[in-house]
Structure formats: structure tokens, C-alpha cells
């Protein structure tokens, strides 16, 4: 699998590979590395101190950790919309806001793609096969869903299920 050309640089460029079936220990290591990488990509959203951690953490856990929700940046559209009688300075400001929103959305999307590529490179695809679509592959699968699947099937959630009486 080729890496997406996104310009995103993580502190842990290559995640610790998981050889064979994932275990509680390997899933925990993967989780820590993904959290660190996601948090390292700056964002003003969610309070501005946790980067893009929300891409790898469910909303409830993220909100408990940060006390501020992270709202996913929405693509601002094909181009800026100017008022009918907009002045030069107003057009300039509308263009600036559009560019800032587009850049923020692109950073979010590129971070998501890069985290997904890291997960896919870290372990054998068969351990995520249940999430793969016959036509789209993993294109529509978010990295948090991949991580939650691994936690559920091979990590702490599986341990918790096996300890039930």
C-alpha cells in the first residue's frame, strides 16, 4: 500500500508492526502511538490542545478528556460566495475565510488518511478484513473504527468479555 502524499508528519512515522494475531499488548501499543500521532497535528478545535486526537478517540472519551467537543471541519464548498454589493475589502476577507476553512478541512482529511494508512501498514489486512468493503476496500472506513475493531476483537474489550462469569 502506498502512503498518501499529504504532507502530514507524525512523531512516530512508522507504527510498531504487529506480527501475527494482535494481542492486548500490541493493540495497547498501537493505540498509544496512534493517539500520540493524532494529537501532534495541531487544530484549534476541541480546545486547541489535543490536536486531531478526536480522529482516534470516541466522542465521549474525547469530551471527558478535553471538556470541549471537537466538531469535524466541513468542506466550505467549491468556492467563496460573495455578497452582491461586496466591496474589495469584503471580497478579500471572504476569500481569506474560505481559504482558511479549506486548509483546515484538508489538514483534517489528510490526517485521517495518514492515520488509516499507518494502521493498514502496521498489521496484516486479515485482522481488519471484516471492515473491508468488496468494492470500496477501506476507503469508507475511519481509522477510529479500525482501532475500535482491534480493541474489541483483540484488546481490552475482548479481555473484559472473557472475564465475565
Amino acid at each position: 500500500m502506498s502512503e498518501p502524499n499529504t504532507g502530514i508528519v507524525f512523531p512516530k512515522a512508522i507504527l510498531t508492526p504487529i506480527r501475527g494475531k494482535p494481542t492486548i499488548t500490541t493493540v495497547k501499543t498501537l493505540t498509544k502511538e496512534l493517539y500520540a500521532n493524532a494529537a501532534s497535528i495541531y487544530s484549534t478545535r476541541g480546545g486547541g490542545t489535543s490536536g486531531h486526537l478526536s480522529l482516534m478517540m470516541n466522542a465521549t472519551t474525547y469530551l471527558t478528556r478535553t471538556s470541549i467537543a471537537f466538531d469535524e471541519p466541513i468542506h466550505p464548498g467549491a468556492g467563496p460566495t460573495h455578497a452582491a454589493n461586496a466591496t474589495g475589502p469584503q471580497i478579500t476577507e471572504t476569500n481569506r475565510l474560505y481559504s482558511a476553512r479549506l486548509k483546515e478541512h484538508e489538514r483534517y482529511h489528510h490526517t485521517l488518511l495518514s492515520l488509516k494508512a499507518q494502521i493498514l501498514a502496521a498489521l496484516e489486512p486479515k485482522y481488519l478484513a471484516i471492515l473491508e468493503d468488496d468494492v470500496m476496500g477501506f476507503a469508507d472506513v475511519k481509522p477510529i473504527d479500525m482501532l475500535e475493531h482491534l480493541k474489541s476483537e483483540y484488546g481490552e474489550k475482548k479481555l473484559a468479555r472473557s472475564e465475565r462469569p
Side-chain angles (χ1 to χ4, degrees):
M1 170 177 187
S2 65
E3 294 294 312
N5 184 14
T6 62
I8 300 295
V9 178
F10 292 128
K12 183 76 172 171
I14 298 173
L15 301 178
T16 303
I18 298 176
R19 302 289 177 230
K21 187 176 179 179
T23 66
I24 292 169
T25 302
T26 60
V27 171
K28 188 178 278 191
T29 299
L30 181 75
T31 301
K32 285 181 185 179
E33 292 173 354
L34 287 164
Y35 282 4
N37 282 351
S40 75
I41 306 301
Y42 181 74
S43 175
T44 59
R45 293 178 183 256
T49 60
S50 296
H52 284 78
L53 182 59
S54 69
L55 284 169
M56 297 310 310
M57 191 176 277
N58 72 52
T60 302
T61 305
Y62 183 85
L63 188 58
T64 300
R65 177 179 172 73
T66 64
S67 302
I68 301 171
F70 185 106
D71 295 322
E72 178 180 336
I74 305 301
H75 191 284
T81 303
H82 303 289
N85 296 324
T87 64
Q90 290 170 326
I91 291 171
T92 299
E93 179 63 6
T94 300
N95 290 344
R96 184 192 69 76
L97 289 173
Y98 173 83
S99 293
R101 289 180 184 128
L102 182 61
K103 183 177 179 181
E104 181 183 30
H105 173 76
E106 287 173 345
R107 175 176 283 160
Y108 177 86
H109 186 67
H110 291 164
T111 302
L112 182 144
L113 291 176
S114 297
L115 290 165
K116 184 188 319 188
Q118 284 196 305
I119 294 169
L120 291 170
L123 68 156
E124 296 174 49
K126 69 181 180 181
Y127 298 110
L128 294 169
I130 195 166
L131 302 176
E132 187 175 16
D133 182 78
D134 290 341
V135 175
M136 297 297 293
F138 292 106
D140 294 336
V141 181
K142 293 183 178 183
I144 188 172
D145 296 330
M146 294 175 164
L147 185 59
E148 288 298 320
H149 168 73
L150 292 170
K151 287 179 179 179
S152 176
E153 293 300 314
Y154 309 105
E156 292 176 7
K157 291 180 182 176
K158 180 166 180 105
L159 177 64
R161 285 193 316 264
S162 66
E163 292 176 349
R164 290 184 194 148

